[in-house]
Amino acid sequence: ALSVLLTFLLAPGVRWLERRRFPRALATTVMVGFSCCVIAGLVWVSVAQFLSFAASLPEYKDNIQSKIALLRADPQGSLSKARRTIDEIGTEMAKQDAAAAATAPRGSRAPRLPAQPDRPVPVTIEEAPLTPFQIMRELIAPLLVPLTVAGAVILFTFIMLLRREDLRDRMIRLVGHGQLNVTTQVFEEAANRVSRYLRMQLIVNLSYGLPVGIALYLIGIPNAALWGVLATALRFIPYLGAWIAAALPIALAFAISEDWSLVVWTVAVFIVLELISNNIVEPWAYGASTGLSALAVIVAAIFWTWLWGAVGLLLAVPLTVCLVVVGRYIPQFAFLSIMLGDQPVLALQDRIYQRLLARDQEEAVDRAEEYVAENGLDALYENVLIPMLELAEHDRHNDALSEERTRFVLDSTRTLVDDLSERPAVDSAGSEAKSTQEAETLTGPITACIVPARDEADEIVGAMLRRCLARRKVSAELLTTDVLKSEVMDRVAELAPQVLYVSALPPAAVLHASYLCKRLRPRFPDLKIVVAVWHAEGDMEKGRARLVAAGASEVVVTLKDSIEKLPPAALVTAMQAVEIQPDTAASNRISSAPSAT
């Protein structure tokens, strides 16, 4: 695993040398040798600094003893109180055990141990002198396993870099034969993500370790270079590495300072650099995410550490990135991408619908407001609220939604539409434009009339269409479901609109809309009737033909298409009104702007 990690890190350098006419073997040797020299140099600096620190440690013995004596001198101090409390608890427990043993029945007492002598017998252990061979073995044995592992890592890395195309082809033949496209995408994305992560993390760690060494040197911490190198290396360990690196300088500051000021300055150095690195350097350097959620990084660190120890903790993020990429492209492992990835797994309409089912109206409103701030109100209607109502209608028709929950979802959606529409929009100059509520109060003849095909969900979507028309200065009237079907004819005749919209939400949209068209067309033979089958999926040819046969003039499926079906005169007036007073919140003009869908 370490060899694969180093291969990802060194492969771009090998390719760069190959483009400069280096042979493959020479380029691989140069990169592996360079990395070994860098690691050996860091180890040499760390060992030299550590030996220097160990040699000077006896100088701080008196200071450490005085600090500890100072902490223990105050009998009313917190540490003294805690120590006395623990001693008292131990004494009381010993007395209780002795009393219980004395009052226990004779037959249940434990057998007495033979009396111990008053004085211990002195024992002296004398070891035989070690032979030169034994001394050499004692010195080499602890280093044998690490050196062997290091040699194996270097060897595997060299071979993988030298034969990386052959190894890639063998992996493709083994796991992806017949699915070359998917396998290629998996390998490319995993390699790019891991290589980018390692390079950026190296840059971030260097930008962290160098200031640590400089700052510790300036405030007077000995062996500052050692602590800077350790901070750079240990920060590869997620979450824990930085504070493990900080613990040693803080302990050293405690040992060498006569007061607490140096300890405070050392802690402040690490806190300030951590805040700068986490909030400024890392977001700028990483750019594109590795694709892991914060929880996934923690879980991965725990799992790989349990499996492989310290090496597992070092490899946790790269290995988990590979697993997430595999889950994105291979359906059998999709659960890995869902559980460990950082991409949303639920569409916004699903999230808002789920929150309304859980009666959490506050979070639903928050999510909707965030979407409006980024995409505009028309996009919220088109891409979120209409699909959400369609989900509710499907559940209701399948008897999967109770009447109580249906009522809560519809009432909450209606309230959400009203509240968001009443908020003032901000024009391009930064001033507040008139609210939609004011825009809906329009004078003059009614241009459009909106009739729900059957139930309240159709009416709510009709309210969205009315607000979209009002934002474009088009006078529109919405007939609610409280108006009886027999009264709809009289109301339409009274309003005399230029166009009549029938708002119909699936799944039973075509049936109810065609029934209403059959009643409207004989009474108003010249009226333009636009049937909006909101977000209808699948083949709409049969449904369209059925609606046209029932009397519909046009059949649309989106809000944008509905607005474009206005009569030419009303459309020109609406476009002029929009040009006079732009609305950046909607960010959607009737002219040639691309649809939000």
Side-chain angles (χ1 to χ4, degrees):
L2 280 172
S3 301
V4 172
L5 188 67
L6 288 175
T7 302
F8 278 129
L9 187 61
L10 301 179
V14 174
R15 287 195 294 267
W16 184 83
L17 291 176
E18 289 177 349
R19 288 194 293 269
R20 269 67 183 174
R21 306 297 182 181
F22 277 68
R24 169 66 61 84
L26 180 59
T28 303
T29 303
V30 169
M31 287 306 302
V32 173
F34 174 74
S35 61
C36 291
C37 291
V38 170
I39 295 174
L42 293 176
V43 172
W44 181 82
V45 171
S46 301
V47 170
Q49 291 288 319
F50 185 79
L51 292 177
S52 175
F53 167 67
S56 61
L57 192 60
E59 300 175 7
Y60 313 131
K61 178 181 178 181
D62 295 337
N63 196 23
I64 296 173
Q65 290 177 346
S66 63
K67 280 277 186 65
I68 296 176
L70 180 63
L71 292 174
R72 301 174 64 179
D74 185 8
Q76 301 301 323
S78 300
L79 294 178
S80 299
K81 290 180 179 180
R83 181 168 53 83
R84 285 199 302 268
T85 302
I86 294 173
D87 293 340
E88 291 173 1
I89 292 174
T91 303
E92 291 296 328
M93 293 179 63
K95 291 180 179 179
Q96 293 176 3
D97 292 341
T103 57
R106 182 178 300 275
S108 62
R109 290 185 181 179
R112 292 181 177 271
L113 296 176
Q116 299 294 328
D118 295 337
R119 296 180 179 178
V121 178
V123 177
T124 302
I125 300 176
E126 296 182 358
E127 295 184 358
L130 296 177
T131 64
F133 178 78
Q134 291 174 331
I135 295 175
M136 187 178 298
R137 186 180 62 184
E138 292 292 335
L139 292 175
I140 296 178
L143 300 176
L144 188 60
V145 173
L147 291 176
T148 304
V149 172
V153 169
I154 295 173
L155 179 61
F156 274 111
T157 303
F158 184 85
I159 295 176
M160 289 180 182
L161 288 172
L162 190 64
R163 306 288 295 173
R164 60 182 186 272
E165 287 87 358
D166 181 66
L167 291 174
R168 179 199 61 200
D169 295 343
R170 293 179 185 278
M171 288 293 296
I172 291 175
R173 179 62 181 85
L174 180 64
V175 301
H177 186 61
Q179 297 180 342
L180 294 178
N181 180 39
V182 173
T183 309
T184 302
Q185 292 183 57
V186 170
F187 285 173
E188 286 184 355
E189 185 170 346
N192 291 335
R193 284 195 185 189
V194 173
S195 298
R196 182 177 64 245
Y197 169 76
L198 293 176
R199 290 195 302 270
M200 290 300 102
Q201 191 176 32
L202 179 61
I203 294 173
V204 170
N205 292 357
L206 288 174
S207 67
Y208 177 84
L210 185 61
V212 164
I214 295 174
L216 294 181
Y217 174 78
L218 293 177
I219 64 176
I221 299 294
N223 307 102
L226 171 62
W227 313 127
V229 172
L230 286 179
T232 301
L234 290 175
R235 212 170 183 277
F236 280 97
I237 301 175
Y239 296 107
L240 301 178
W243 299 110
I244 294 175
L248 295 176
I250 293 173
L252 181 59
F254 172 83
I256 67 175
S257 62
E258 297 180 357
D259 53 16
W260 296 96
S261 60
L262 190 58
V263 177
V264 174
W265 277 107
T266 305
V267 173
V269 164
F270 282 95
I271 291 178
V272 170
L273 290 177
E274 271 294 302
L275 292 175
I276 294 175
S277 180
N278 292 336
N279 297 289
I280 299 177
V281 178
E282 288 186 3
W284 171 81
Y286 286 143
S289 171
T290 57
L292 298 182
S293 64
L295 180 62
V297 174
I298 297 175
V299 173
I302 294 174
F303 173 75
W304 293 109
T305 303
W306 166 77
L307 188 64
W308 285 343
V311 176
L313 184 59
L314 181 65
L315 298 176
V317 173
L319 291 176
T320 311
V321 166
C322 296
L323 293 178
V324 170
V325 173
V326 169
R328 288 187 58 187
Y329 290 97
I330 301 178
Q332 292 82 352
F333 298 98
F335 69 95
L336 293 173
S337 179
I338 294 173
M339 296 302 297
L340 302 176
D342 63 346
Q343 298 298 319
V345 295
L346 288 179
L348 183 57
Q349 61 265 24
D350 297 330
R351 295 174 62 189
I352 293 181
Y353 181 46
Q354 190 273 332
R355 287 292 85 201
L356 293 181
L357 291 177
R359 301 180 185 277
D360 186 0
Q361 190 174 8
E362 289 77 10
E363 184 177 345
V365 172
D366 292 342
R367 300 287 83 77
E369 289 176 345
E370 292 174 2
Y371 190 87
V372 171
E374 295 179 2
N375 303 279
L377 194 57
D378 288 0
L380 177 73
Y381 292 158
E382 190 79 84
N383 302 332
V384 179
L385 295 186
I386 294 178
M388 186 205 70
L389 285 174
E390 187 176 354
L391 290 174
E393 284 294 285
H394 276 285
D395 287 346
R396 187 174 69 84
H397 282 78
N398 293 331
D399 296 327
L401 198 61
S402 65
E403 183 63 30
E404 182 182 3
R405 290 184 183 272
T406 302
R407 173 50 46 198
F408 185 83
V409 170
L410 295 178
D411 290 345
S412 300
T413 306
R414 186 187 296 275
T415 302
L416 181 62
V417 172
D418 293 339
D419 289 346
L420 292 176
S421 300
E422 291 174 359
R423 299 184 182 182
V426 179
D427 61 17
S428 58
S431 60
E432 291 188 354
K434 292 183 179 180
S435 66
T436 305
Q437 187 178 14
E438 295 176 353
E440 290 176 357
T441 308
L442 302 173
T443 58
I446 295 297
T447 301
C449 179
I450 305 169
V451 181
R454 184 183 183 188
D455 54 24
E456 192 172 353
D458 301 329
E459 178 187 338
I460 294 175
V461 184
M464 299 179 199
L465 174 59
R466 181 181 178 231
R467 284 171 170 78
C468 290
L469 295 173
R471 291 162 66 85
R472 292 159 175 80
K473 308 300 181 181
V474 176
S475 299
E477 181 74 16
L478 172 63
L479 304 184
T480 65
T481 53
D482 296 333
V483 180
L484 300 178
K485 296 300 181 185
S486 58
E487 299 175 355
V488 170
M489 307 297 173
D490 298 335
R491 186 61 179 153
V492 172
E494 180 183 349
L495 295 173
Q498 299 180 33
V499 60
L500 185 141
Y501 290 100
V502 178
S503 173
L505 192 66
V510 174
L511 176 63
H512 300 308
S514 61
Y515 171 75
L516 188 58
C517 289
K518 287 179 181 179
R519 298 190 61 180
L520 288 168
R521 180 54 69 193
R523 179 80 177 270
F524 307 100
D526 298 328
L527 178 62
K528 184 175 183 178
I529 300 176
V530 178
V531 178
V533 185
W534 303 113
H535 287 214
E537 298 178 353
D539 188 7
M540 271 293 295
E541 292 302 322
K542 293 183 179 179
R544 190 183 303 272
R546 181 177 179 180
L547 290 170
V548 171
S553 305
E554 302 280 353
V555 179
V556 297
V557 295
T558 65
L559 288 172
K560 180 177 181 294
D561 294 340
S562 302
I563 296 171
E564 291 178 349
K565 298 304 179 183
L566 286 169
L571 187 60
V572 171
T573 303
M575 292 176 63
Q576 293 174 349
V578 174
E579 291 295 335
I580 294 173
Q581 185 171 353
D583 190 350
T584 58
S587 64
N588 185 11
R589 294 188 181 274
I590 300 177
S591 54
S592 60
S595 172
T597 58

